[in-house]
Amino acid sequence: MGNELLEKYVLFRHRDVEDIHKIDGYTANDGYTALKKALETMKPEDVTNVVKNAGLRGRGGAGFPAGVKWSFIPKDIFPKYIVVNADESEPGTFKDREIMTYNPHQLIEGIIMCAYAVGAETAYIYGRGEFRTLFLGRLQEAVDEAYAKGFLGKNILGSDFSMDLYLHLGAGAYICGEETALLNSLEGLMGQPRSRPPFPAVEGLYAKPTVINNVETLTNVPPIVANGADWYHQFGTERSPGTKIFSLSGRVNKPGNYELPLGTPIRYLIEECGGGVIDGKAVKGILPAGASSAIVGPEALDVTMDYEAMAAAGTMLGSASFIIMDETVDAVWAAEKNVKFFKHESCGKCSPCREGSFWLTSVYRKLREGRGSKKDVEMLETIINQMEGNCFCLLGEFTVPGVRTSLALFRDEYEALARNGDEMAQPDHNLVLAEQMLNSQSKV
Amino acid sequence: MTHENGIDLALMDEVFQKYSQQKGALIPILQNAQDIYGFLPQEALQLIADKMGVSIGKVYGVATFYAQFYLEKRGRHILKLCDGTACHVKGTPLLVTALGDGYHIQPGETTEDGDLTIEIVYCLGSCALAPVTILDDQVMGRMRPEMMVRKVQKHIKDAQKAAGA
């Protein structure tokens, strides 16, 4: 049961309990008892307070305290909405898929309690288009079962509280994981981000107060309400309590999802859980939050995986999708790959992101084809400096740290490529123009 | 009512009925239309705009924004290759090269006989199975070039046999 660091799983209960994806299996193992407790013995604000005291932080990436977010919802504006962000699109992240496939009722129970806490009567789960099979199949079955047993719909468990839950599929856009772009997509518009303020808690879906939480965040709610805030604090660190699912991928022997207490060292994840690096090679770089991460080198192996320690190490925990690069991986190649991803996914709304990711891709291609020079390496820095802090939403901002840290950690590889180009000395007309443009802009 | 290029717009009636009451249903309607026709024909987009009382420009904007909407006809079989960071590191470029050698097509293209379309997608959320490919609806993880080409050949052949029988 559980693993070495956890006696029992909190989120991945399906790994301990058989048939928990079925409603009978779930109710036979304390399923929906937390909801019963909440509806019968707790006021809505009590639920919010327990979650607040537990210190549950948003698992989608930003780590914002969930209970605090719920308390921002105004009491006197109706209707209110709950939107569950299941647009799990960060390269390297695959934790929500496992929850929704194997332990869907714990998520549904969490959604109902969140709705009860803030007084919402409608909830949507927004899933990425790739989750089609899951959303039309297993997850829909779980929702139907919950309706049939009276956990969803009118007068839940005989109380005054009623709510409906709908599943909604996106159509393939990374940007829709950004919460305001997600709201636009849910309304049937192009998935482009909105300006904030107003924040979704005040004006979200259809300009009504909206709570947007990640799948994993809400899956934490039933055990917190059932066992109390103190129980939750036994896991993790003081400021990052609880357990977290770490998605491990890249050059390791046993990639997969691992649920561990927050504050576990990175080394434990790679060596004990992941069985070490393939062929016993050395770790070269770690991307702790998928393509959006600042890369850290092997010296970070003993950093603990919690929000504070990761930030102190110059990166972030984000959605905790650890992609491991070993010494065989070409750093420039990997960075180009990430930049191409952001270029492809940039929604086109703001120019720093749209143009910046375009020019980064061009410069990387030039370098990798051996046509680049030292000036091109500097050009990469110029471009990210102009992007940083100037993008409309985080998609553009997240393009920057990967490039910046790749340049800092693996400068020799960039310069080795640039030397080839210096010998060939072929100026690229477009890049010369771009450089002139950027120079004239920075003077203004 | 069959349109001159073989698009039967009457098939959309059921879709409009299902979503007539739902706010913001444009994306599900487009998804349903694509399930019916395999892609989004111009005629269907115009019909959707008319029925929903929005401009064709808005419908077109949404249809072109999302990666999973297609405005052109595609091959009978679709092979999606994940090129997210984890899959890329584990060898998706080798798979693309193997397909280029075997079928003379690049990502985004369809073979001349209309049998196969290949597409690059970014992160299917199965990074533990990297590199991941999806042939029609069948997920094939930890793919190697030779194995993938063999599976694609077999899949196309089986489908042809089934159609012939």
Side-chain angles (χ1 to χ4, degrees):
Chain A
M1 295 289 150
N3 58 36
E4 261 179 58
L5 298 183
L6 277 184
E7 195 186 322
K8 270 186 188 164
Y9 285 111
V10 177
L11 305 168
F12 276 172
R13 289 191 65 204
H14 57 277
R15 293 188 179 183
D16 287 334
V17 185
E18 239 178 283
D19 279 343
I20 203 159
H21 67 282
K22 289 273 175 207
I23 200 153
D24 293 334
Y26 187 61
T27 46
N29 290 282
D30 306 325
Y32 291 107
T33 50
L35 175 66
K36 203 157 183 263
K37 176 180 169 189
L39 290 177
E40 286 172 4
T41 66
M42 295 166 83
K43 285 196 275 228
E45 50 270 32
D46 296 340
V47 178
T48 305
N49 283 335
V50 167
V51 174
K52 213 190 264 182
N53 294 339
L56 171 64
R57 299 177 61 169
R59 301 292 197 237
F64 193 81
V68 177
K69 197 185 236 184
W70 298 3
S71 64
F72 289 156
I73 297 292
K75 292 207 165 33
D76 49 353
I77 303 177
F78 298 94
K80 309 176 215 279
Y81 295 103
I82 309 294
V83 175
V84 185
N85 187 342
D87 190 73
E88 184 175 55
S89 311
E90 185 63 44
T93 312
F94 41 93
K95 61 190 176 66
D96 297 341
R97 173 196 291 261
E98 181 162 346
I99 293 175
M100 290 186 289
T101 310
Y102 299 107
N103 195 10
H105 284 292
Q106 191 169 328
L107 167 66
I108 294 169
E109 189 179 3
I111 297 169
I112 304 168
M113 285 197 279
C114 173
Y116 176 68
V118 302
E121 293 188 342
T122 310
Y124 295 92
I125 306 181
Y126 181 99
R128 58 188 304 206
E130 287 83 351
F131 285 165
R132 188 186 159 91
T133 321
L134 170 63
F135 268 57
L136 298 180
R138 239 169 135 144
L139 191 57
Q140 185 64 54
E141 279 166 31
V143 171
D144 293 344
E145 280 179 330
Y147 267 105
K149 297 270 180 179
F151 296 121
L152 283 169
K154 288 250 169 302
N155 300 103
I156 295 168
L157 297 173
S159 71
D160 298 337
F161 178 65
S162 306
M163 75 164 287
D164 286 305
L165 173 61
Y166 302 99
L167 305 185
H168 186 100
L169 272 177
Y174 171 75
I175 181 73
C176 291
E178 199 282 335
E179 56 182 17
T180 58
L182 187 155
L183 293 176
N184 274 345
S185 181
L186 200 52
E187 291 182 17
L189 307 171
M190 282 193 268
Q192 291 188 320
R194 302 175 179 175
S195 75
R196 278 173 290 196
F199 288 90
V202 185
E203 279 186 35
L205 189 63
Y206 302 113
K208 294 294 178 188
T210 304
V211 174
I212 307 172
N213 273 143
N214 171 261
V215 168
E216 187 187 346
T217 313
L218 291 174
T219 308
N220 272 288
V221 173
I224 290 175
V225 172
N227 304 308
D230 292 338
W231 168 84
Y232 196 68
H233 274 282
Q234 68 173 298
F235 309 107
T237 67
E238 197 190 334
R239 291 180 61 198
S240 299
T243 66
K244 170 93 190 79
I245 299 163
F246 297 93
S247 300
L248 178 66
S249 65
R251 304 281 301 166
V252 290
N253 284 312
K254 287 191 288 175
N257 281 323
Y258 298 96
E259 181 179 342
L260 302 168
L262 282 160
T264 306
I266 299 177
R267 189 184 296 280
Y268 185 89
L269 176 69
I270 296 177
E271 287 173 8
E272 302 301 318
C273 303
V277 176
I278 295 175
D279 297 334
K281 293 268 196 284
V283 172
K284 176 173 181 176
I286 301 165
L287 286 78
S292 303
S293 349
I295 306 167
V296 288
E299 68 284 354
L301 277 170
D302 291 308
V303 172
T304 55
M305 301 184 288
D306 54 76
Y307 296 96
E308 289 73 29
M310 295 297 282
T315 182
M316 60 173 186
L317 186 63
S319 55
S321 36
F322 284 75
I323 303 177
I324 311 302
M325 302 195 292
D326 68 5
E327 53 192 315
T328 64
V329 175
D330 175 342
V332 185
W333 175 73
E336 181 195 15
K337 163 78 225 142
N338 277 350
V339 164
K340 265 162 99 176
F341 172 77
F342 286 112
K343 170 181 173 258
H344 182 268
E345 295 297 342
S346 174
C347 79
K349 180 164 181 150
C350 73
S351 9
C353 171
R354 184 183 63 235
E355 303 301 318
S357 57
F358 174 83
W359 284 109
L360 285 173
T361 314
S362 305
V363 179
Y364 267 108
R365 189 171 59 231
K366 193 177 165 195
L367 278 172
R368 295 243 309 122
E369 288 174 355
R371 295 183 291 112
S373 66
K374 265 213 176 98
K375 279 198 123 172
D376 291 306
V377 181
E378 286 157 21
M379 173 69 96
L380 291 175
E381 264 165 355
T382 313
I383 299 171
I384 53 175
N385 286 340
Q386 307 237 5
M387 290 176 76
E388 194 164 41
N390 293 326
C391 296
F392 191 86
C393 80
L394 283 174
L395 190 154
E397 297 295 330
F398 281 161
T399 315
V400 176
V403 176
R404 192 180 295 290
T405 48
S406 175
L407 278 166
L409 289 169
F410 313 115
R411 190 81 182 194
D412 48 332
E413 290 182 43
Y414 283 83
E415 285 179 353
L417 279 173
R419 261 198 295 285
N420 297 335
D422 279 339
E423 281 157 24
M424 288 164 73
Q426 287 177 338
D428 181 321
H429 181 62
N430 283 332
L431 287 172
V432 171
L433 269 180
E435 193 174 1
Q436 285 168 356
M437 271 167 54
L438 289 170
N439 286 339
S440 63
Q441 273 174 13
S442 52
K443 276 177 205 133
V444 175
Chain B
M1 182 176 72
T2 304
H3 214 270
E4 51 203 52
N5 58 3
I7 304 291
D8 182 2
L9 290 176
L11 294 171
M12 288 295 293
D13 290 348
E14 206 181 317
V15 178
F16 290 121
Q17 230 155 36
K18 187 166 150 199
Y19 290 104
S20 62
Q21 297 302 318
Q22 205 174 312
K23 273 195 280 191
L26 180 55
I27 291 172
I29 289 177
L30 288 170
Q31 283 165 334
N32 276 269
Q34 186 161 285
D35 287 346
I36 294 173
Y37 305 112
F39 70 114
L40 293 171
Q42 176 85 47
E43 298 80 5
L45 292 179
Q46 186 64 56
L47 179 74
I48 292 168
D50 294 345
K51 288 267 184 185
M52 296 192 73
V54 296
S55 73
I56 179 78
K58 191 190 160 190
V59 176
Y60 186 77
V62 171
T64 50
F65 184 86
Y66 295 96
Q68 285 160 20
F69 291 129
Y70 305 96
L71 301 181
E72 278 164 33
K73 210 164 186 165
R74 298 193 296 157
R76 277 180 286 280
H77 304 283
I78 316 285
L79 177 66
K80 293 179 186 165
L81 304 163
C82 180
D83 201 22
T85 314
C87 289
H88 190 80
V89 174
K90 292 273 248 175
T92 303
L94 300 175
L95 303 181
V96 174
T97 312
L99 287 164
D101 293 346
Y103 289 92
H104 310 291
I105 45 171
Q106 292 303 311
E109 295 176 356
T110 304
T111 52
E112 260 175 42
D113 55 15
D115 267 340
L116 182 69
T117 300
I118 60 172
E119 280 173 3
I120 294 287
V121 293
Y122 288 101
C123 202
L124 291 161
S126 303
C127 312
L129 297 176
V132 185
T133 57
I134 299 187
L135 181 54
D136 292 333
D137 280 330
Q138 181 196 345
V139 179
M140 312 190 297
R142 303 208 170 98
M143 222 8 93
R144 311 260 37 111
E146 323 77 55
M147 198 204 314
M148 177 191 62
V149 172
R150 264 205 314 279
K151 287 202 177 208
V152 171
Q153 282 167 345
K154 184 168 182 301
H155 183 78
I156 294 177
K157 219 177 259 170
D158 287 353
Q160 282 167 345
K161 253 189 233 156

